[in-house]
Amino acid sequence: MKELRLMKGNEAIAEAAIRCGVDAYYGYPITPQSEVMEYLTAEEPYKTTGMVVLQAESEIASIHMVHGAAGGGKKSMTSSSSPGISLMTEGISYLAGSEIPCLIVNVQRGGPGLGTIQPGQADYFQATKGGGHGDYRLIVLAPASVQEMADFVDLSFELAFKYRNPALILSDGAIGQMMEKVYLPEQKERLTDEEVAQKYGDWATIGKSPNKERNILTSLELQSERQEKHNFHLQAKYKKIEENEIRYEKINCENADYMLVAYGMSARICQKVIQLGKEKGINIGLIRPITLWPFPSQVIKESANNVKGILTVEMSAGQMVEDVRLAVEGKVPVEHYGRFGGMIPSPDEVLNALEQKLIGK
Amino acid sequence: MAKVRGAVVIDTEKCKGCDLCVVACPTSVLLLAKEVNGKGYNYSYMENPDSCTGCMNCAMVCPDSVITVYRLKPQKSAVEA
Amino acid sequence: MEDTIKIEDIIKPENIVFEKTSCLTDNVLSYCPGCGHGVAHRITMEVVEEMGIQDQTIGIAPVGCSVLAYDFMNIDMQQAAHGRAPAVATGLKRVYPNKFVFTYQGDGDLAAIGTAETIHACNRGENIVIIFINNGIYGMTGGQMAPTTLPGMKSSTTPYGRNAAMMGHPIKITELVAHLPGTCYVTRQAVHTPGAVRKAKKAIRKAFENQKLNKGLSFVEIVSNCNSGWKMTPVDSNNWMVENMFPYYPMGDIKDE
Ligand SMILES: Cc1ncc(C[n+]2csc(CCOP(=O)(O)OP(=O)(O)O)c2C)c(N)n1
Ligand code: SF4
Ligand code: SF4
Ligand code: SF4
């Protein structure tokens, strides 16, 4: 039976990590996600499941510690918030280049720079379009509830190992700090060293046994032809992920005249906007991308056949809206409404914006 | 002259002609050749093979691990001497 | 008579006293002729072979001339970002406490961009070995100033010599990490003479033995040449190293607990 608890989003991530049999967490404190490591150090999973929890000297160190452990085929993760993720982008690029599966959690705050400790969603570009150097992609999941904070830990690892690719949970300070009911997964056993060797022995650096080719994890290839070939291989993998792993939720889309597209915290606000719209006789639907990469372009494109206009709602100056516009190909107007710098839009504001930007036209 | 006898074999194609073994040899066995190998390096060779004691000094300092050292066991050389 | 012994009689498999360790691959090293990296690679791999731990050893390669160390060391390896090898090694060692993990890093990698990772891995007493090649210069990128470049020493970014007033003094990071309780063995070695090579290998052996005993972090600096960067022949560069580097970076154990 699944256990029901009232928890903060950040705590749910930490508890889920223990229960999913994660082998190692390396992190560095930053608001609004410090509870992740605080929870883990209080729970001391190294005494129960054997999970390693270590506070690193920086986010740079944490992500490269993840590199080391995940390179050994172990389930390894880190978490941070926007400025810390910026520091990690170096390591993330290396992880992607070397095809090392792992989990990175970004509980976003407003930026740029030190910005604010209040929630934000302005790291969408960084998460979905690179952030670090080179042509790479992360599998990006966007939870909109404490439940999803917990559920996406296991899902992220599943996808990361399936494709040998880093996965990123793109959350925000509001979901991280909010308390909700959450059904926790049952405790999974961590894989033993032997099981890891059996499952991932073809690539993980765990020691070269005499009858086996040695494993090397590197993103370097000085011969251009071979580096290009490696890039083709990565692109083919990304295409496969795009074909198979798109996830989204459709709410009230059936007879909607206007469509909202929003993820995470903004998607929760948009659910209220749907209600307010009904009261005013405006039929509004919501598409909530769950995977931000791969992006649910097709379903958004199709929705454009049935609605008069689309409004994206983000706690940013407008980032995901670019992908929505690309998907819609100009069929209907696509507008953006955002608050940023730590501000969270209210449902009334959003409805107002929809009326002005789409209906008023 | 119950001297220990040794010899070295140098993988001349992989030798980079750095001269370090030549300098390290206490009995002046080695020299760099006037000719070059496939990579254009003046490779090292035994100019005075009779002086080699198999002390391994050359192999110790060879950065490219291209020297193999052989040595006759002392009793064996005594028998043969 | 001794003269009757033919070379062919000596060159027989049973008479081999030294050959390349099987823990090195057959790939031709990418290093310049006479570069100390090659010897440092070899003695590290000889220790791995002699301890019989090839199947339990994972090396972390840096960014620098030895970025391709994994092409030459016949073991499982990870290639780390510039300076981050001690963090990568930390992450790996923590989840595999019974395996042997070492980093192999140049002075730019370890003492400039990776200073934080180095100091903190040492301070935590990570149970790893750090092999630190100090050649006083950035070899790979073409001989620029390193944190270890000597005062007055020319490099491609100190064409008139390092001006300590402007660029700071060379950092003795080895002495620095020796102060940290997390390090159990800190030593400075060289590989320019047969005697030095034998000593340096002993030091590396000790470092790996320490790891086996969970004693903490062992830090082996090897003062080395960069004849390309210094613009000298290999033999001259070794002499220059003895005359100029050794007084500033004295040989021997700094800490052995
Ligand atoms: C983030 C980053 N900055 C700069 C470089 C360029 N770079 C490559 S090697 C190197 C210096 C390496 O010098 P050192 O560690 O002394 O090793 P050596 O080449 O002398 O063996 C630099 C600056 C890089 N690869 N990555
Ligand atoms: S083994 Fe000793 S004597 Fe023989 S060539 Fe090498 S250094 Fe000289
Ligand atoms: S030390 Fe090695 S590479 Fe250098 S000249 Fe001698 S044999 Fe050749
Ligand atoms: S540039 Fe210097 S450090 Fe690099 S391989 Fe050449 S001699 Fe060695």
Side-chain angles (χ1 to χ4, degrees), chain A residues 116-170:
Chain A
T116 163
I117 57 170
Q118 300 304 325
Q121 289 184 317
D123 302 348
Y124 177 91
F125 283 154
Q126 186 193 53
T128 63
K129 317 236 178 245
H133 57 286
D135 277 317
Y136 74 86
R137 295 288 187 180
L138 303 176
I139 299 166
V140 183
L141 293 161
S145 62
V146 174
Q147 185 64 55
E148 284 188 339
M149 290 287 255
D151 293 346
F152 286 1
V153 174
D154 203 32
L155 177 61
S156 298
F157 277 111
E158 190 191 308
L159 295 174
F161 275 92
K162 183 171 170 187
Y163 295 100
R164 262 188 76 182
N165 205 67
L168 185 137
I169 292 180
L170 190 68

Short mmCIF file of all heavy atoms in Angstrom, two decimals, chain A residues 116-170:
data_model
loop_
_atom_site.label_atom_id
_atom_site.label_comp_id
_atom_site.label_asym_id
_atom_site.label_seq_id
_atom_site.Cartn_x
_atom_site.Cartn_y
_atom_site.Cartn_z
N THR A 116 15.90 36.62 -7.41
CA THR A 116 15.07 36.62 -6.22
C THR A 116 14.99 35.19 -5.71
O THR A 116 15.28 34.26 -6.46
CB THR A 116 13.65 37.12 -6.55
OG1 THR A 116 12.77 36.74 -5.49
CG2 THR A 116 13.13 36.49 -7.83
N ILE A 117 14.58 35.03 -4.46
CA ILE A 117 14.39 33.65 -3.98
C ILE A 117 12.96 33.20 -4.21
O ILE A 117 12.59 32.09 -3.89
CB ILE A 117 14.78 33.51 -2.49
CG1 ILE A 117 13.97 34.47 -1.62
CG2 ILE A 117 16.26 33.75 -2.31
CD1 ILE A 117 14.13 34.21 -0.13
N GLN A 118 12.14 34.09 -4.77
CA GLN A 118 10.74 33.73 -5.05
C GLN A 118 10.67 32.92 -6.35
O GLN A 118 11.57 32.97 -7.17
CB GLN A 118 9.89 35.00 -5.15
CG GLN A 118 9.87 35.84 -3.87
CD GLN A 118 9.41 35.06 -2.65
OE1 GLN A 118 8.55 34.20 -2.76
NE2 GLN A 118 10.02 35.34 -1.50
N PRO A 119 9.54 32.21 -6.54
CA PRO A 119 9.44 31.30 -7.69
C PRO A 119 9.56 31.99 -9.04
O PRO A 119 9.20 33.16 -9.18
CB PRO A 119 8.03 30.70 -7.54
CG PRO A 119 7.51 31.12 -6.23
CD PRO A 119 8.37 32.17 -5.67
N GLY A 120 10.02 31.25 -10.00
CA GLY A 120 10.10 31.73 -11.37
C GLY A 120 10.03 30.57 -12.34
O GLY A 120 10.11 29.41 -11.94
N GLN A 121 9.86 30.89 -13.62
CA GLN A 121 9.88 29.87 -14.67
C GLN A 121 10.70 30.37 -15.85
O GLN A 121 10.37 30.10 -17.00
CB GLN A 121 8.45 29.54 -15.13
CG GLN A 121 7.62 28.77 -14.10
CD GLN A 121 6.26 28.38 -14.64
OE1 GLN A 121 5.60 29.18 -15.30
NE2 GLN A 121 5.84 27.14 -14.37
N ALA A 122 11.74 31.09 -15.52
CA ALA A 122 12.51 31.73 -16.59
C ALA A 122 13.72 30.90 -17.03
O ALA A 122 14.57 31.38 -17.77
CB ALA A 122 12.95 33.12 -16.14
N ASP A 123 13.77 29.64 -16.59
CA ASP A 123 14.89 28.78 -16.99
C ASP A 123 14.46 27.77 -18.06
O ASP A 123 15.13 26.76 -18.27
CB ASP A 123 15.46 28.03 -15.78
CG ASP A 123 15.93 28.96 -14.68
OD1 ASP A 123 16.03 30.18 -14.95
OD2 ASP A 123 16.19 28.49 -13.56
N TYR A 124 13.33 28.07 -18.70
CA TYR A 124 12.81 27.16 -19.72
C TYR A 124 13.80 27.01 -20.88
O TYR A 124 14.11 25.90 -21.31
CB TYR A 124 11.47 27.68 -20.23
CG TYR A 124 10.87 26.85 -21.35
CD1 TYR A 124 10.01 25.79 -21.10
CD2 TYR A 124 11.17 27.15 -22.69
CE1 TYR A 124 9.46 25.04 -22.13
CE2 TYR A 124 10.63 26.41 -23.72
CZ TYR A 124 9.78 25.35 -23.44
OH TYR A 124 9.25 24.61 -24.46
N PHE A 125 14.31 28.14 -21.35
CA PHE A 125 15.30 28.08 -22.45
C PHE A 125 16.50 27.24 -22.02
O PHE A 125 16.97 26.36 -22.74
CB PHE A 125 15.81 29.48 -22.81
CG PHE A 125 14.85 30.30 -23.63
CD1 PHE A 125 14.91 31.70 -23.59
CD2 PHE A 125 13.90 29.71 -24.46
CE1 PHE A 125 14.04 32.47 -24.34
CE2 PHE A 125 13.02 30.48 -25.22
CZ PHE A 125 13.09 31.87 -25.16
N GLN A 126 16.99 27.56 -20.81
CA GLN A 126 18.19 26.87 -20.32
C GLN A 126 17.96 25.36 -20.24
O GLN A 126 18.82 24.58 -20.59
CB GLN A 126 18.54 27.42 -18.94
CG GLN A 126 19.83 26.89 -18.36
CD GLN A 126 19.96 27.22 -16.88
OE1 GLN A 126 19.08 26.93 -16.09
NE2 GLN A 126 21.07 27.84 -16.53
N ALA A 127 16.76 24.98 -19.80
CA ALA A 127 16.48 23.56 -19.61
C ALA A 127 16.24 22.84 -20.93
O ALA A 127 16.68 21.71 -21.12
CB ALA A 127 15.26 23.39 -18.71
N THR A 128 15.53 23.49 -21.85
CA THR A 128 15.08 22.77 -23.04
C THR A 128 15.93 23.03 -24.27
O THR A 128 15.87 22.29 -25.24
CB THR A 128 13.63 23.14 -23.40
OG1 THR A 128 13.59 24.54 -23.72
CG2 THR A 128 12.68 22.85 -22.25
N LYS A 129 16.70 24.09 -24.26
CA LYS A 129 17.43 24.44 -25.48
C LYS A 129 18.94 24.39 -25.27
O LYS A 129 19.70 24.97 -26.03
CB LYS A 129 17.05 25.84 -25.97
CG LYS A 129 15.59 26.11 -25.91
CD LYS A 129 15.00 26.54 -27.23
CE LYS A 129 13.54 26.74 -27.11
NZ LYS A 129 12.77 25.78 -27.92
N GLY A 130 19.38 23.77 -24.19
CA GLY A 130 20.81 23.71 -24.00
C GLY A 130 21.18 24.28 -22.66
O GLY A 130 21.02 23.64 -21.65
N GLY A 131 21.62 25.50 -22.62
CA GLY A 131 22.14 26.04 -21.37
C GLY A 131 23.64 25.89 -21.39
O GLY A 131 24.39 26.85 -21.37
N GLY A 132 24.08 24.67 -21.50
CA GLY A 132 25.50 24.40 -21.70
C GLY A 132 25.82 24.42 -23.18
O GLY A 132 24.96 24.66 -24.02
N HIS A 133 27.11 24.14 -23.50
CA HIS A 133 27.54 24.22 -24.89
C HIS A 133 27.28 22.92 -25.64
O HIS A 133 27.19 21.86 -25.05
CB HIS A 133 29.03 24.56 -24.95
CG HIS A 133 29.89 23.59 -24.21
ND1 HIS A 133 29.95 23.56 -22.84
CD2 HIS A 133 30.69 22.61 -24.63
CE1 HIS A 133 30.77 22.60 -22.46
NE2 HIS A 133 31.23 22.00 -23.54
N GLY A 134 27.16 23.06 -26.93
CA GLY A 134 27.04 21.88 -27.80
C GLY A 134 25.59 21.51 -28.06
O GLY A 134 24.67 21.98 -27.41
N ASP A 135 25.43 20.64 -29.06
CA ASP A 135 24.09 20.17 -29.45
C ASP A 135 23.68 19.03 -28.55
O ASP A 135 24.02 17.88 -28.80
CB ASP A 135 24.14 19.63 -30.89
CG ASP A 135 24.02 20.73 -31.91
OD1 ASP A 135 23.18 21.63 -31.72
OD2 ASP A 135 24.76 20.69 -32.91
N TYR A 136 22.98 19.34 -27.48
CA TYR A 136 22.50 18.24 -26.64
C TYR A 136 21.10 18.54 -26.14
O TYR A 136 20.63 19.68 -26.21
CB TYR A 136 23.45 18.00 -25.46
CG TYR A 136 23.38 19.04 -24.37
CD1 TYR A 136 22.44 18.94 -23.34
CD2 TYR A 136 24.25 20.13 -24.35
CE1 TYR A 136 22.38 19.90 -22.34
CE2 TYR A 136 24.18 21.09 -23.35
CZ TYR A 136 23.25 20.97 -22.35
OH TYR A 136 23.18 21.92 -21.36
N ARG A 137 20.45 17.53 -25.66
CA ARG A 137 19.11 17.66 -25.11
C ARG A 137 19.03 16.96 -23.77
O ARG A 137 19.67 15.93 -23.56
CB ARG A 137 18.08 17.00 -26.03
CG ARG A 137 17.94 17.66 -27.38
CD ARG A 137 17.24 18.99 -27.26
NE ARG A 137 16.95 19.56 -28.57
CZ ARG A 137 16.34 20.72 -28.74
NH1 ARG A 137 15.97 21.44 -27.70
NH2 ARG A 137 16.10 21.16 -29.94
N LEU A 138 18.22 17.52 -22.90
CA LEU A 138 17.90 16.86 -21.65
C LEU A 138 16.45 16.42 -21.74
O LEU A 138 15.65 17.08 -22.40
CB LEU A 138 18.05 17.83 -20.47
CG LEU A 138 19.41 18.47 -20.29
CD1 LEU A 138 19.35 19.48 -19.14
CD2 LEU A 138 20.47 17.41 -20.00
N ILE A 139 16.12 15.34 -21.08
CA ILE A 139 14.71 14.97 -20.93
C ILE A 139 14.18 15.83 -19.79
O ILE A 139 14.68 15.75 -18.67
CB ILE A 139 14.57 13.47 -20.60
CG1 ILE A 139 15.15 12.63 -21.74
CG2 ILE A 139 13.11 13.12 -20.32
CD1 ILE A 139 15.38 11.18 -21.39
N VAL A 140 13.20 16.70 -20.09
CA VAL A 140 12.77 17.68 -19.09
C VAL A 140 11.33 17.42 -18.67
O VAL A 140 10.41 17.45 -19.50
CB VAL A 140 12.89 19.12 -19.63
CG1 VAL A 140 12.52 20.12 -18.54
CG2 VAL A 140 14.31 19.39 -20.13
N LEU A 141 11.14 17.15 -17.39
CA LEU A 141 9.80 16.89 -16.85
C LEU A 141 9.38 18.05 -15.95
O LEU A 141 10.19 18.55 -15.16
CB LEU A 141 9.81 15.59 -16.03
CG LEU A 141 10.04 14.30 -16.84
CD1 LEU A 141 10.49 13.17 -15.92
CD2 LEU A 141 8.77 13.91 -17.58
N ALA A 142 8.11 18.46 -16.08
CA ALA A 142 7.63 19.62 -15.33
C ALA A 142 6.49 19.22 -14.40
O ALA A 142 5.34 19.11 -14.83
CB ALA A 142 7.17 20.70 -16.29
N PRO A 143 6.77 19.01 -13.12
CA PRO A 143 5.71 18.64 -12.18
C PRO A 143 4.83 19.84 -11.84
O PRO A 143 5.30 20.97 -11.77
CB PRO A 143 6.48 18.18 -10.94
CG PRO A 143 7.81 18.85 -11.03
CD PRO A 143 8.09 19.09 -12.48
N ALA A 144 3.54 19.56 -11.63
CA ALA A 144 2.61 20.64 -11.26
C ALA A 144 1.98 20.38 -9.90
O ALA A 144 1.03 21.05 -9.52
CB ALA A 144 1.52 20.77 -12.34
N SER A 145 2.51 19.40 -9.18
CA SER A 145 1.97 19.12 -7.85
C SER A 145 3.06 18.44 -7.02
O SER A 145 4.06 17.99 -7.57
CB SER A 145 0.77 18.18 -7.96
OG SER A 145 1.19 16.95 -8.51
N VAL A 146 2.82 18.39 -5.73
CA VAL A 146 3.77 17.70 -4.87
C VAL A 146 3.80 16.21 -5.24
O VAL A 146 4.84 15.57 -5.24
CB VAL A 146 3.39 17.91 -3.39
CG1 VAL A 146 4.29 17.08 -2.48
CG2 VAL A 146 3.52 19.39 -3.04
N GLN A 147 2.62 15.69 -5.60
CA GLN A 147 2.55 14.29 -6.04
C GLN A 147 3.50 14.04 -7.22
O GLN A 147 4.23 13.07 -7.25
CB GLN A 147 1.11 13.93 -6.44
CG GLN A 147 0.94 12.46 -6.78
CD GLN A 147 1.18 11.56 -5.58
OE1 GLN A 147 0.58 11.73 -4.53
NE2 GLN A 147 2.12 10.62 -5.72
N GLU A 148 3.45 14.95 -8.18
CA GLU A 148 4.31 14.77 -9.35
C GLU A 148 5.79 14.97 -9.00
O GLU A 148 6.67 14.38 -9.62
CB GLU A 148 3.88 15.70 -10.49
CG GLU A 148 2.63 15.18 -11.18
CD GLU A 148 2.27 15.96 -12.44
OE1 GLU A 148 2.70 17.13 -12.58
OE2 GLU A 148 1.53 15.41 -13.26
N MET A 149 6.07 15.83 -8.03
CA MET A 149 7.46 15.97 -7.58
C MET A 149 7.98 14.59 -7.17
O MET A 149 9.09 14.19 -7.51
CB MET A 149 7.56 16.93 -6.38
CG MET A 149 7.32 18.39 -6.71
SD MET A 149 8.67 19.18 -7.62
CE MET A 149 9.43 20.16 -6.33
N ALA A 150 7.15 13.86 -6.42
CA ALA A 150 7.55 12.52 -5.97
C ALA A 150 7.59 11.55 -7.15
O ALA A 150 8.57 10.83 -7.33
CB ALA A 150 6.60 12.03 -4.89
N ASP A 151 6.53 11.55 -7.95
CA ASP A 151 6.42 10.54 -9.02
C ASP A 151 7.50 10.70 -10.08
O ASP A 151 7.95 9.73 -10.68
CB ASP A 151 5.05 10.64 -9.70
CG ASP A 151 3.92 10.23 -8.77
OD1 ASP A 151 4.22 9.63 -7.71
OD2 ASP A 151 2.75 10.53 -9.09
N PHE A 152 7.89 11.94 -10.33
CA PHE A 152 8.80 12.16 -11.46
C PHE A 152 10.25 11.76 -11.16
O PHE A 152 11.08 11.68 -12.06
CB PHE A 152 8.74 13.62 -11.92
CG PHE A 152 7.47 13.95 -12.67
CD1 PHE A 152 6.48 12.99 -12.87
CD2 PHE A 152 7.26 15.22 -13.21
CE1 PHE A 152 5.31 13.28 -13.56
CE2 PHE A 152 6.09 15.52 -13.90
CZ PHE A 152 5.11 14.55 -14.08
N VAL A 153 10.55 11.52 -9.89
CA VAL A 153 11.91 11.07 -9.57
C VAL A 153 12.14 9.71 -10.22
O VAL A 153 13.09 9.51 -10.98
CB VAL A 153 12.13 11.00 -8.04
CG1 VAL A 153 13.49 10.39 -7.73
CG2 VAL A 153 12.03 12.39 -7.43
N ASP A 154 11.24 8.79 -9.94
CA ASP A 154 11.38 7.45 -10.51
C ASP A 154 11.29 7.49 -12.03
O ASP A 154 12.09 6.87 -12.73
CB ASP A 154 10.29 6.53 -9.93
CG ASP A 154 10.70 5.08 -10.02
OD1 ASP A 154 11.92 4.80 -9.92
OD2 ASP A 154 9.81 4.22 -10.19
N LEU A 155 10.30 8.24 -12.53
CA LEU A 155 10.11 8.34 -13.98
C LEU A 155 11.37 8.90 -14.66
O LEU A 155 11.80 8.41 -15.70
CB LEU A 155 8.90 9.24 -14.28
CG LEU A 155 8.60 9.51 -15.74
CD1 LEU A 155 8.29 8.22 -16.49
CD2 LEU A 155 7.42 10.49 -15.88
N SER A 156 11.97 9.91 -14.04
CA SER A 156 13.18 10.51 -14.62
C SER A 156 14.29 9.49 -14.74
O SER A 156 14.97 9.41 -15.77
CB SER A 156 13.68 11.65 -13.75
OG SER A 156 12.73 12.67 -13.68
N PHE A 157 14.48 8.72 -13.68
CA PHE A 157 15.55 7.71 -13.73
C PHE A 157 15.25 6.63 -14.77
O PHE A 157 16.15 6.16 -15.46
CB PHE A 157 15.79 7.09 -12.35
CG PHE A 157 16.69 7.93 -11.49
CD1 PHE A 157 16.21 8.59 -10.37
CD2 PHE A 157 18.04 8.08 -11.82
CE1 PHE A 157 17.05 9.37 -9.59
CE2 PHE A 157 18.88 8.85 -11.05
CZ PHE A 157 18.38 9.51 -9.93
N GLU A 158 13.98 6.28 -14.84
CA GLU A 158 13.59 5.26 -15.82
C GLU A 158 13.97 5.73 -17.23
O GLU A 158 14.59 5.01 -18.01
CB GLU A 158 12.09 5.03 -15.70
CG GLU A 158 11.58 3.84 -16.47
CD GLU A 158 10.06 3.86 -16.53
OE1 GLU A 158 9.44 3.98 -15.46
OE2 GLU A 158 9.52 3.78 -17.65
N LEU A 159 13.59 6.97 -17.53
CA LEU A 159 13.87 7.51 -18.86
C LEU A 159 15.37 7.73 -19.05
O LEU A 159 15.92 7.46 -20.12
CB LEU A 159 13.11 8.82 -19.07
CG LEU A 159 11.58 8.70 -19.09
CD1 LEU A 159 10.93 10.09 -19.14
CD2 LEU A 159 11.12 7.86 -20.27
N ALA A 160 16.03 8.24 -18.02
CA ALA A 160 17.46 8.54 -18.13
C ALA A 160 18.24 7.27 -18.46
O ALA A 160 19.08 7.26 -19.36
CB ALA A 160 17.96 9.15 -16.82
N PHE A 161 17.95 6.19 -17.77
CA PHE A 161 18.68 4.95 -18.02
C PHE A 161 18.26 4.31 -19.34
O PHE A 161 19.08 3.71 -20.03
CB PHE A 161 18.52 3.97 -16.85
CG PHE A 161 19.51 4.23 -15.74
CD1 PHE A 161 19.18 5.07 -14.68
CD2 PHE A 161 20.77 3.66 -15.77
CE1 PHE A 161 20.10 5.34 -13.67
CE2 PHE A 161 21.70 3.92 -14.77
CZ PHE A 161 21.36 4.77 -13.71
N LYS A 162 16.97 4.46 -19.67
CA LYS A 162 16.49 3.88 -20.93
C LYS A 162 17.27 4.47 -22.11
O LYS A 162 17.60 3.77 -23.06
CB LYS A 162 14.99 4.19 -21.07
CG LYS A 162 14.33 3.58 -22.29
CD LYS A 162 12.81 3.76 -22.19
CE LYS A 162 12.12 3.40 -23.48
NZ LYS A 162 10.69 3.73 -23.44
N TYR A 163 17.54 5.75 -22.04
CA TYR A 163 18.18 6.41 -23.18
C TYR A 163 19.64 6.81 -22.90
O TYR A 163 20.26 7.48 -23.73
CB TYR A 163 17.37 7.65 -23.59
CG TYR A 163 16.00 7.30 -24.11
CD1 TYR A 163 14.88 7.41 -23.30
CD2 TYR A 163 15.84 6.83 -25.41
CE1 TYR A 163 13.62 7.07 -23.78
CE2 TYR A 163 14.59 6.49 -25.90
CZ TYR A 163 13.48 6.61 -25.08
OH TYR A 163 12.25 6.26 -25.56
N ARG A 164 20.16 6.46 -21.74
CA ARG A 164 21.51 6.92 -21.35
C ARG A 164 21.63 8.41 -21.58
O ARG A 164 22.49 8.89 -22.32
CB ARG A 164 22.59 6.18 -22.15
CG ARG A 164 23.20 5.02 -21.40
CD ARG A 164 24.39 4.45 -22.12
NE ARG A 164 25.56 5.31 -21.99
CZ ARG A 164 26.74 5.06 -22.56
NH1 ARG A 164 26.88 4.00 -23.31
NH2 ARG A 164 27.75 5.89 -22.40
N ASN A 165 20.77 9.15 -20.90
CA ASN A 165 20.73 10.61 -21.09
C ASN A 165 20.38 11.27 -19.76
O ASN A 165 19.57 10.74 -19.01
CB ASN A 165 19.64 10.94 -22.12
CG ASN A 165 19.90 12.25 -22.81
OD1 ASN A 165 20.86 12.37 -23.56
ND2 ASN A 165 19.05 13.24 -22.56
N PRO A 166 20.95 12.43 -19.46
CA PRO A 166 20.53 13.12 -18.24
C PRO A 166 19.07 13.57 -18.33
O PRO A 166 18.63 13.97 -19.40
CB PRO A 166 21.45 14.34 -18.17
CG PRO A 166 22.53 14.10 -19.16
CD PRO A 166 22.00 13.15 -20.18
N ALA A 167 18.37 13.50 -17.21
CA ALA A 167 16.99 14.00 -17.14
C ALA A 167 16.97 15.16 -16.16
O ALA A 167 17.79 15.23 -15.24
CB ALA A 167 16.06 12.89 -16.68
N LEU A 168 16.05 16.09 -16.39
CA LEU A 168 15.94 17.25 -15.52
C LEU A 168 14.49 17.45 -15.11
O LEU A 168 13.60 17.40 -15.97
CB LEU A 168 16.47 18.49 -16.24
CG LEU A 168 16.54 19.78 -15.41
CD1 LEU A 168 17.85 20.51 -15.67
CD2 LEU A 168 15.39 20.73 -15.71
N ILE A 169 14.27 17.64 -13.83
CA ILE A 169 12.94 18.02 -13.36
C ILE A 169 12.94 19.53 -13.24
O ILE A 169 13.73 20.10 -12.47
CB ILE A 169 12.61 17.35 -12.01
CG1 ILE A 169 12.45 15.83 -12.20
CG2 ILE A 169 11.34 17.96 -11.41
CD1 ILE A 169 12.11 15.06 -10.93
N LEU A 170 12.09 20.18 -14.03
CA LEU A 170 12.01 21.64 -13.99
C LEU A 170 10.80 22.04 -13.17
O LEU A 170 9.67 22.04 -13.65
CB LEU A 170 11.92 22.22 -15.41
CG LEU A 170 12.09 23.75 -15.47
CD1 LEU A 170 13.51 24.16 -15.10
CD2 LEU A 170 11.74 24.29 -16.85
#
